[in-house]
């Protein structure tokens, strides 16, 4: 190619593209964006482009672009940022822009604390200090009978006089400060760590915690009716801070002691001194002061009278109170508020005796037990504390019917006076206790209770609501009902009939679910004992229930499964915690300890054809003229198939007509029930029902003043060698029910339909009896040529005379046994039972709603009639 056609060479600066990018740079900027002197491109001193590649040009251009950003930063470093808060920081690059400066951190912290201090100052200025006179006031709680007439007004009448610090002994002040707030005299009224813990727990939904200082507790006492909310805690905090800086310590301490709750409906030290010791506060001695300081820990659990709940029995409370009392005295020595020589004067024997509770005024007869039951129901339903209840102001309408309560009292006292003579037979007739409860079958309402001789007789345990008294053979219907519901290992999953036969001889070996013999403590095969050695042979389950023979039910519970029986009992209202947990043979014989209330309510499920209704004792509650919610009648729950419940009723009617409860026939109307007597004759029960009422009666023996409340054998009571459920309890039941139902029309139970398959136990003679009667009578003790019109049900399965056929009088004999007692020792522990449990409904065999099983349990003592 000729020279004149050759293209001129590209500049060494990177070509046309590089030149264009360079031209786009700001005048007066170098390739890196730095300020440099400029000159005319046409001047003689214009720099010549250096030689380089196109890549160099591109990199130079990129540096120029980035340089503009760094230039801005450079400007920021030279001049202050115009923003109020320099964050993210404009004078830093990358992640360093988000690292706050020390000025920013300190300024933020100071601002935060300024806001907190300002808010606290405003809060403290806005709150008022507590008024102990107002806080110590309490109103009456008024209880009404079911018909709306007034039963009793309680509380509000105690001496609630506010006393000055001079009337509060130094020993009381020392005891409380030592036990609750050692630093009281030097702190500022608050505990920062305690506050932080309480706030955190409440903010995260944890348990609420009160203030730990005496000042905070004093403030808390003025808010007993308020909710446990963060707002309330903040208000308490502000008041406590204000008191800590503005009030004398003696003023705060006097305010606390004048408003604190001590139990026995006593608010304030003066009321407590009168309630427990019958004296003024200024006359309290150091031992009594230590006692009151101990009770302040929590009157429901430390008042020796007992409180609400199974853990607040008089025995447990007494034990806790004694331990706390001794600890308070030791603590006074530890913190230097009592000399060791003074402490040595108070031994366990010096635990201060209490005066009779003034809260029993007006609580004569059964009123105390009725009020106690209703209060427990209200407190559980609304989550009300004993302290809040003691402040009063509640108007409570109960389900208790005065005529029925009076009838139950009369039945018990007439029977008691007729066979107990403590003066003539002090070794056997002392400490005999009665309890009873009656429940409306159609609603679950508790219409009557018998809790004991009365608070006015210094008997504070409610025998109608105690736990610790085994129910004996009254437990057997649950075993039979579960067999009807779930079947046995021999029925291939089908419910069994009461015509199924089981071995009933005394001392029969019981097999477990694997068919192997149970073992006793020595490793030998366990043999179940009946009360009588009568050789019954194989009997139907109906006859076993009629005579209350132990052996068939001890085997049946293994064939069914303890878990299924447990689930069925629970579905009828028996509380899980009252069931013995040991899955042995004796569990079927009644070693569990439900209360009389729970037993009456549970049997009402059978009377109501399998519909369970939770027991309740209150229908309306008003506070300050406003009706409180939550006291509607409990909803019906299906516990078992109605056909099963009706069959149980038919079997229990046979117990009344031909079995161990024939004394009940004097009622003169359809009735069903079961007797029960426990090992060593320590308790005797009768639980029975009509279509209208279900009632349980319990008789047991215990020293109410003993520490452990152990049950004592009733052998010889009333000059009777052995008391059974079919004797005294059945007589009381009959007398009460006759009066309670005297104006009620006679009605019949539903007719029971044939259900289940005949599934005899292993070893039963064959052929097994059919569920359908054979066309001709089989050989038996009844001659076929002259069959009686009503063959004895003990010779076969179902009773041939319906129990409601009052003029049907088959020739029957009462079994020579009442069921057998076996091994074990029963001890009674007095405790309240509240609440209930119910499973969810499910289909059952006959197509009606039923309830499945599903828990294991059992125990090891046997019981009988």
């Amino acid at each position: 190619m000729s020279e004149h056609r050759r293209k001129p060479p590209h500049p060494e600066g990177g070509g046309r593209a590089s030149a264009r990018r360079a031209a786009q740079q700001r005048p007066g900027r170098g390739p890196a964006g730095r300020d440099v002197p400029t000159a005319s491109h046409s001047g003689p001193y214009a720099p010549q482009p250096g030689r380089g590649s196109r890549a160099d040009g591109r990199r130079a251009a990129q540096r120029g672009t980035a340089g503009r950003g760094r230039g801005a930063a450079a400007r920021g470093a030279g001049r202050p940022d115009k923003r109020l808060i320099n964050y993210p920081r404009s004078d830093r690059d990358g992640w360093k822009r988000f690292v706050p400066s020390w000025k920013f951190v300190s300024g933020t912290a100071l601002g935060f604390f300024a806001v907190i201090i300002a808010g606290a100052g405003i809060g403290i200025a806005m709150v008022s200090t507590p008024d102990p006179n107002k806080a110590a006031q309490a109103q009456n709680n008024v209880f009404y009978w079911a018909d709306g007439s007034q039963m009793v007004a309680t509380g509000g009448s105690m001496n609630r006089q506010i006393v000055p610090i001079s009337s509060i002994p130094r020993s009381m002040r020392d005891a409380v400060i030592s036990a609750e707030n050692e630093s009281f005299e030097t702190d500022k009224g608050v505990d920062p760590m305690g506050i932080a813990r309480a706030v955190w727990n409440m903010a995260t939904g944890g348990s609420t915690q009160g203030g730990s200082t005496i000042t905070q507790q004093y403030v808390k006492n003025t808010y007993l009716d308020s909710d446990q909310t963060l707002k309330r805690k903040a208000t308490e905090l502000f008041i406590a801070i204000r008191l800590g800086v503005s009030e004398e310590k003696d003023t705060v301490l006097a305010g606390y002691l004048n408003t604190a709750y001590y139990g026995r409906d006593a608010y304030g030290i003066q009321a407590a001194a009168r309630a427990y010791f019958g004296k003024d506060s200024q006359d309290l001695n150091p031992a009594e002061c230590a006692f009151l300081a101990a009770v302040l820990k929590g009157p429901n659990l430390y008042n020796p009278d007992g409180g609400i709940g199974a853990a607040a029995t008089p025995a447990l409370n007494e034990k806790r109170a004694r331990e706390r009392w001794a600890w308070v005295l030791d603590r006074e020595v530890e913190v230097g508020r009592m000399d060791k020589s003074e402490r040595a004067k108070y031994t366990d024997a010096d635990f201060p005796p209490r005066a009779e509770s003034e809260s029993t005024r007006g609580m004569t007869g059964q009123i105390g037990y009725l009020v106690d039951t209703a209060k427990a129901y209200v407190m559980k339903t609304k989550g009300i504390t004993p302290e809040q209840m003691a402040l009063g102001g509640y108007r409570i309408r109960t389900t208790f019917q005065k005529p029925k309560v009076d009838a139950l009292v009369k039945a018990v006292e007439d029977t008691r006076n007729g066979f107990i003579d403590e003066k003539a037979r002090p070794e056997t007739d002392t400490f005999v206790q009665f309890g009873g409860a009656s429940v409306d079958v159609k609603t679950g309402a508790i219409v009557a209770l018998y809790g004991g001789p009365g608070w006015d007789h210094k008997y504070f345990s409610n025998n109608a609501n105690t736990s610790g008294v085994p129910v004996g053979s009254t437990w057997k219907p649950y075993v039979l009902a579960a067999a009807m519901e779930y079947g046995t290992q021999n029925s291939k999953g089908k419910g069994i009939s009461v015509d199924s036969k089981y071995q009933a001889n005394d001392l029969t070996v019981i097999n477990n679910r694997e068919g192997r013999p149970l073992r006793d403590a020595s490793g030998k095969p366990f043999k179940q004992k009946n009360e009588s050695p009568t050789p019954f042979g194989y009997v139907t389950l109906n006859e076993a229930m009629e005579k209350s023979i132990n052996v068939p039910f001890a085997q049946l519970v293994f064939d069914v499964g303890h878990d299924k029986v447990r689930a069925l009992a629970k579905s009828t209202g028996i509380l899980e915690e009252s069931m013995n947990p040991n899955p042995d043979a004796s569990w079927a014989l009644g070693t569990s300890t439900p209360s009389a209330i729970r037993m009456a309510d549970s049997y009402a499920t059978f009377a109501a054809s399998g519909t369970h209704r939770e027991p309740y004792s209150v229908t309306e509650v008003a506070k300050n003229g406003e009706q409180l919610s939550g006291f509607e009648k409990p909803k019906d729950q299906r516990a078992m198939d109605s056909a099963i419940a009706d069959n149980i009723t038919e079997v229990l009617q046979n117990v009344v007509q031909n079995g161990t409860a024939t004394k009940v026939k004097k009622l003169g109307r359809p009735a069903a029930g079961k007797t029960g007597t426990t090992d060593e004759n320590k308790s005797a029960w009768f639980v029975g029902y009509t279509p209208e009422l279900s009632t349980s009666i319990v008789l047991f023996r215990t020293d109410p003043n003993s520490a452990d409340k152990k049950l004592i054998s009733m052998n010889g009571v009333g000059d009777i060698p052995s008391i059974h459920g079919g004797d005294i309890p059945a007589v009381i039941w009959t007398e009460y029910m006759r009066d309670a139902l005297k104006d009620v029309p006679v009605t019949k139970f539903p007719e029971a339909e044939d259900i289940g398959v005949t599934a005899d136990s292993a070893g039963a003679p064959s052929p097994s009896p059919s569920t359908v009667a054979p066309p001709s009578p089989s050989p038996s003790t009844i001659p076929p040529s002259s069959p009686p019109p009503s063959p004895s049900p003990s010779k076969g399965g179902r009773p041939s005379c319906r129990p409601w056929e009052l003029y049907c009088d088959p020739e029957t004999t009462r079994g020579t046994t009442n069921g057998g007692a076996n091994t074990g020792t029963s001890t009674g522990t007095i405790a309240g039972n509240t609440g209930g449990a119910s499973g969810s409904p499910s289909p059952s065999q006959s197509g009606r709603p039923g309830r499945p099983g599903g828990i294991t349990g059992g125990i090891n003592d046997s019981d009988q009639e």
Side-chain angles (χ1 to χ4, degrees), residues 120-479:
I122 295 173
I124 293 171
M126 292 179 63
V127 297
S128 58
T129 56
D131 181 355
N133 290 284
K134 182 178 179 181
Q137 291 176 355
Q139 305 175 58
N140 284 329
N141 285 321
V142 184
F143 294 82
Y144 300 90
W145 295 102
D147 62 5
S149 60
Q150 182 171 317
M151 178 192 302
V152 68
T154 68
S157 59
M158 294 294 297
N159 177 9
R160 301 179 189 278
Q161 177 185 354
I162 301 302
V163 295
I165 194 68
S166 58
S167 296
I168 301 175
R170 168 56 65 179
S171 57
M172 184 66 196
R173 290 177 260 172
D174 288 339
V176 172
I177 292 174
S178 300
E180 301 198 23
N181 188 186
E182 177 187 353
S183 64
F184 169 71
E185 293 179 337
T186 58
D187 64 35
K188 299 302 181 183
V190 296
D191 176 7
M193 292 303 297
I195 294 169
R197 184 171 58 251
V199 171
W200 171 258
N201 284 342
M202 297 184 69
T204 57
S207 60
T208 58
Q209 296 187 7
S212 59
T213 69
I214 286 176
T215 305
Q216 288 174 268
Q217 293 182 63
Y218 170 38
V219 175
K220 177 178 176 289
N221 289 343
T222 66
Y223 290 90
L224 282 174
D225 284 333
S226 302
D227 296 331
Q228 291 282 347
T229 62
L230 192 59
K231 178 181 177 181
R232 202 212 76 179
K233 299 302 294 185
T235 303
E236 287 182 9
L237 172 61
F238 292 146
I239 297 175
I241 294 173
R242 179 169 181 170
L243 289 177
V245 299
S246 65
E247 294 288 352
E248 296 291 336
K249 288 295 183 179
D250 281 352
T251 302
V252 174
L253 183 59
Y256 171 60
L257 295 175
N258 277 316
T259 58
Y261 181 63
Y262 297 79
R264 287 195 173 186
D265 286 345
Y267 274 90
I269 183 65
Q270 173 67 11
R274 300 299 307 176
Y276 284 101
F277 306 114
K279 60 176 65 174
D280 292 329
S281 61
Q282 62 190 16
D283 298 324
L284 294 170
N285 63 45
E288 293 165 341
C289 290
F291 171 84
L292 293 179
V295 170
L296 283 176
K297 174 74 172 176
N300 192 59
L301 294 177
Y302 289 86
N303 176 5
D305 299 340
I308 303 298
T313 66
L316 291 176
N317 281 18
E318 174 91 14
K319 181 175 182 294
R320 278 189 290 261
R322 286 178 174 271
E323 292 174 351
R324 178 78 176 174
W325 173 77
W327 178 86
V328 170
L329 292 171
D330 291 339
R331 180 67 175 163
E332 290 187 68
V333 174
E334 182 180 344
V335 301
R337 291 182 176 271
M338 178 181 283
D339 293 333
K340 290 184 178 180
S341 59
E342 178 72 10
R343 169 67 180 92
K345 296 178 182 178
Y346 306 107
T347 64
D348 291 343
D350 298 307
F351 187 69
R354 279 87 58 201
E356 181 179 352
S357 174
E358 292 186 39
S359 62
T360 62
R361 291 180 301 180
M363 300 288 203
T364 59
Q366 299 304 301
I367 299 299
Y369 309 120
L370 300 178
V371 167
D372 193 49
T373 302
K375 281 172 59 177
Y377 187 83
V378 172
M379 290 163 62
K380 179 184 176 184
T381 301
K382 298 301 293 184
I384 298 171
T385 66
E387 291 84 354
Q388 291 170 329
M389 178 61 71
L391 281 176
Y394 294 93
R395 300 294 182 264
I396 301 169
R397 185 165 181 169
T398 72
T399 59
F400 305 124
Q401 299 178 20
K402 190 175 188 305
K404 289 183 172 60
V405 172
D406 292 342
L408 185 54
V409 171
K410 183 177 184 299
V412 171
E413 292 182 350
D414 285 351
T415 305
R416 179 187 181 93
N417 295 337
F419 88 104
I420 289 182
D421 190 337
E422 296 183 14
K423 293 182 179 180
R425 296 181 293 271
E427 296 299 320
T428 59
D429 287 16
T430 54
F431 308 136
V432 179
Q433 310 295 340
F434 296 80
S438 189
V439 172
D440 189 311
V441 167
K442 296 179 175 60
T443 65
I446 305 171
V447 297
L449 292 179
Y450 185 88
W455 287 11
D456 50 326
H457 288 79
K458 299 183 180 181
Y459 189 85
F460 298 101
S461 296
N462 185 353
N463 293 341
N465 198 31
T466 58
S467 177
V469 183
V471 296
S473 291
T474 59
W475 194 259
K476 290 174 181 175
Y478 304 122
V479 182

Side-chain angles (χ1 to χ4, degrees), residues 686-741:
F686 182 73
V687 187
Y689 54 89
T690 67
E692 300 82 19
L693 285 180
S694 178
T695 302
S696 63
I697 301 295
V698 59
L699 188 66
F700 60 97
R701 194 172 172 220
T702 187
D703 181 356
N705 298 315
S706 64
D708 52 14
K709 302 295 190 296
K710 286 185 178 180
L711 296 180
I712 308 170
S713 175
M714 292 189 294
N715 289 335
V717 170
D719 208 21
I720 301 172
S722 180
I723 295 178
H724 297 91
D727 299 323
I728 303 303
V731 171
I732 295 173
W733 187 94
T734 304
E735 183 179 339
Y736 160 71
M737 293 289 278
R738 182 187 295 116
D739 286 348
L741 298 171

Side-chain angles (χ1 to χ4, degrees), residues 837-860:
S838 300
S840 57
S842 66
S844 65
Q845 299 164 16
S846 68
R848 297 190 178 102
R851 191 177 295 269
I855 305 173
T856 55
I859 201 173
N860 178 326

